[in-house]
Amino acid sequence: MPQHTVSPTASPHHALPLSEATEATGQVLDAVETAVVGKRPELELVLAGILAGGHVLLEDLPGLGKTLAARSFAQALGLPFTRAQFTPDLLPSDLTGAEVFDQRTGEFVFRPGPVFTGLLLADEINRTPPKTQSALLEAMQERQVSVEGTTRALPQPFHVLATANPIEHEGTYPLPEAQLDRFLLRLSFGYPSPVQEWEVVARRLDRAREEVTVPQILDGEGLLAAQRTVESVHVEEAIGHYAVELVAATRVHSSALVGASPRGTLALILCARALAVIRGRGFVVPEDIKELAHPVLDHRVTVKPELWLQNATGAGVVEGALGQVPVPAASARPAP
C-alpha cells in the first residue's frame, strides 16, 4: 500500500496541495535512495523530469545504477514497470505490440507490447535502428501507438527512462535530433566516491541477496495529482525572459550549428517549476533555471562539424550562454 495517502482534494481532476506534493516527492527520493546510493542531486533531476510529465535520457557508462534507478522509481511511484532491451534486430512491433491471429476465435486480437506500461526502461536506446526509434517517438510524444491502422492510447501516467552508453559507437544508431528533443532531460550519474562505493558494497552484504525492493510511496493517481501541482507554480516574467534569453544565446553561439528550439525554452520552464515543487516552493528562482540549463539544453544543441576535433560540445555552448546572459536581479524574485 502507498505510504503517502492522497487527500480528497487530489481527485482525478485536482492537484495535490503544494505541501503534500513536496512531502510525497521527498518520500519518493528517500525511498529511491535506499537503492541508489549517493546520487540525490541526480535523482532529484530525474524526478523533476517525471513530475514535469516528460521523459529522461540517462547517458552513462555501464554499471552505474541506471537500470536500478529506473526500477526503483517505478516501485516508489507505484507504476507498472517494463524493460525493453534495444538491439539491432528489435522491430517496431516488438515495442508497440501486434495483431495476432487467435485460432480459437478465428479473429485477430491485439497483443500489447512493453510500451503499454507506466514506466518503460528503454535500455541502450541507441542500439536499435531508426525505424524502431521512430515507433518509440510516437509513444513518447503522442502517448499513443498506431498498429495496423488502429491508434491506441497508452496508459496514464506514461514515462520513458532511456539509457545510452556515451563511449560505444560501433553497432549503434545515434539518436536523431528530433528524438533527442523529446527527452526533457539528459543527465548522467557518474562514478561514486570511494565512500559511496563502499556503502553500495556494505548494503549488498547486509541484504544477503541481489534484489533491492523499494517501498511504494505514491500510485498512478497520486503521481498525476502531483504533476498537476506543477501547473500552479508561479514564474516571474523576469525569470521567464531569462530562460528565453539563455536559449536564444545558444542559437547565436560561434560553435553552434543549431541551437535549442522554443521547445527547449518550454522544457526549461516546466522542469524548473517541477523542481520548485520538489523543493517546497510555489515559485521559480533563477537558480532553478541555471541548475537545469545543462540537463535540459545540452542535448538540444548541435555543434558545427568542423569543430568536433576541437572538442566543441553542446555543454560548451550552454556554458557560454550562462556566462553571457545576466541573471535577473534579486528584486525580481517573488517573496515566498
Side-chain angles (χ1 to χ4, degrees), residues 245-282:
E245 291 169 15
L246 268 181
V247 174
T250 68
R251 303 168 193 160
V252 297
H253 193 281
S254 59
S255 298
L257 178 65
V258 178
S261 70
R263 185 183 283 124
T265 311
L266 291 169
L268 189 56
I269 294 291
L270 182 57
C271 289
R273 297 173 87 189
L275 194 60
V277 170
I278 293 172
R279 294 178 176 175
R281 281 186 275 104

Side-chain angles (χ1 to χ4, degrees), residues 23 44 54 68 85 105 110 162 219 225 240 248 252 271 296-297 309 316:
E23 179 187 359
E44 197 173 51
L68 178 61
Q85 187 67 43
T105 62
F110 179 70
D219 55 19
V252 297
C271 289
V296 172
L297 299 178
L309 294 179

Side-chain angles (χ1 to χ4, degrees), residues 192-214:
S193 68
V195 173
Q196 293 168 346
E197 193 162 353
W198 167 245
E199 180 68 18
V200 173
V201 174
R203 291 187 186 185
R204 171 62 181 84
L205 294 174
D206 289 342
R207 286 196 311 272
R209 57 188 175 85
E210 192 64 37
E211 298 77 19
V212 184
T213 302
V214 168

